[in-house]
Structure formats: structure tokens, C-alpha cells
Amino acid sequence: MSEKKHIRADFVHGHYQFNTDKGAVYEIGETAPYDYLLGALSGCLFVTFEALAVKMQVAWEHISFEVNGIKRETPPTTLKDCTITATVTGCDDHPKCLKAFETATRYCSVYQTISQVAEMHWTVNFSQEQ
């Protein structure tokens, strides 16, 4: 069965926000829509990677993402390029971790959605320090 997703957005002069069904509130203003988009990409990609890492029995201690997007200059100003740099610390099997990350890029719905309009690039670096 398909899972329904829903938010409620409210806009009054000087105050813009959206709320999720689980009660989270996100104010719009200081944070621009593309900040949310890149944040959604990092969150979806991480959750997908995490599930695959568990399945593949890949241990890790810390993972961080640097996500950079370049918008097109002409309307519609969708992303034209998106780069994700993942840094993994405390990984016990680098090749399996790379495979889990690569598979996550294929299964992550946000990554796949953005890839319809942008050229996607990713790298994984391994570090001993957090």
C-alpha cells in the first residue's frame, strides 16, 4: 500500500511555515527553499544508506555530507549540478561501504528526483578522525 505524505503550509505577512503530521514545524524565511531541498537530499540519502549498511553488515561510527548545488540561471531555475561529498569515520570495510553508498544513490527517491534535472556527482572519503 502506498504511504501518504502530507504537510500543512501557512503564510501570513511576516510569518511563513509548514508543519508535518508528526508535529514538526519548519519556518520559512531565513532558510530558503533550496536549503530544504539539499537538506532533504542529505536526509533521504543517509536513511537509505543506513538501511543498506545494516543489511550489508557495514559498521561505521560517523558520516557527514557536504551537499553543494548550482542553480540554473534561466527559468525554471532548477539545479543544474549537485555534488555530495560523504566523509565516513570508523568504517570497518571500505569496499562494502562504497557499495552501500552507491546503492543508496540508486534507491534514494530524493536523489533520483533531483537527478531528473541536475547532473549528480558523489564521492566518499574515509577518515580516522571525527
Side-chain angles (χ1 to χ4, degrees):
M1 175 179 256
S2 298
E3 181 180 357
K4 178 184 172 192
K5 295 294 183 183
H6 169 260
I7 62 115
R8 176 189 166 100
D10 291 291
F11 306 97
V12 295
H13 293 286
H15 186 80
Y16 317 124
Q17 72 180 39
F18 66 90
N19 308 359
T20 68
D21 287 342
K22 294 182 179 179
V25 177
Y26 299 92
E27 292 195 28
I28 303 168
E30 295 287 321
T31 305
Y34 276 86
D35 297 330
Y36 285 113
L37 178 63
L38 298 180
L41 171 59
S42 67
C44 184
L45 190 55
F46 168 72
V47 169
T48 306
F49 166 80
E50 182 181 39
L52 289 164
V54 167
K55 227 179 222 187
M56 295 172 68
Q57 299 179 348
V58 177
W60 53 273
E61 293 176 11
H62 180 255
I63 186 168
S64 65
F65 293 165
E66 294 286 334
V67 183
N68 293 289
I70 299 173
K71 288 173 59 177
R72 296 183 196 291
E73 293 181 19
T74 56
T77 55
T78 60
L79 290 179
K80 71 175 182 176
D81 191 83
C82 186
T83 302
I84 303 154
T85 303
T87 302
V88 181
T89 305
C91 178
D92 65 346
D93 188 332
H94 294 187
K96 273 177 120 176
C97 187
L98 281 171
K99 182 64 176 171
F101 193 87
E102 185 274 328
T103 304
T105 65
R106 288 188 284 123
Y107 288 12
C108 171
S109 59
V110 176
Y111 186 101
Q112 287 302 311
T113 299
I114 295 171
S115 76
Q116 299 302 305
V117 295
E119 190 171 319
M120 304 296 284
H121 311 275
W122 60 267
T123 58
V124 176
N125 301 315
F126 296 96
S127 173
Q128 299 304 321
E129 298 181 22
Q130 280 192 1

